[in-house]
């Protein structure tokens, strides 16, 4: 009977982990409500590199 108790406890641990994973995915992928007058909703950050110089100061062009 020790084996069935261990299997039941392991099943409970796996079930709780699966529910936690589902809740975390729901929190991560559902859209957040926008409140008027509140902070802007979070979103992806656009990455921009430094501007590339077209001419170097002091160089002769032509």
């Amino acid at each position: 009977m020790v084996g069935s108790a261990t299997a039941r406890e392991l099943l409970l641990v796996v079930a709780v982990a699966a529910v936690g994973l589902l809740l975390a995915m729901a929190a991560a992928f559902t859209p957040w409500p926008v409140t008027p007058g509140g902070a802007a909703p979070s979103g992806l950050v656009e990455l921009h590199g430094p501007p590339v110089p077209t001419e170097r100061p002091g160089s002769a062009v032509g």
Side-chain angles (χ1 to χ4, degrees), residues 7-9 11-13 21-25 28 48 51 58:
R8 191 172 39 221
E9 185 176 353
L11 183 63
L12 178 67
V13 168
L21 183 62
L22 287 174
L23 287 174
M25 288 177 58
H48 299 283

Side-chain angles (χ1 to χ4, degrees), residues 1-60:
M1 290 295 164
V2 176
S4 67
T6 304
R8 191 172 39 221
E9 185 176 353
L10 185 60
L11 183 63
L12 178 67
V13 168
V14 171
V16 169
V19 169
L21 183 62
L22 287 174
L23 287 174
M25 288 177 58
F29 293 114
T30 55
W32 293 86
V34 178
T35 57
S42 62
L44 295 177
V45 177
E46 294 182 18
L47 299 177
H48 299 283
V52 179
T54 55
E55 294 181 27
R56 294 184 186 157
S59 64

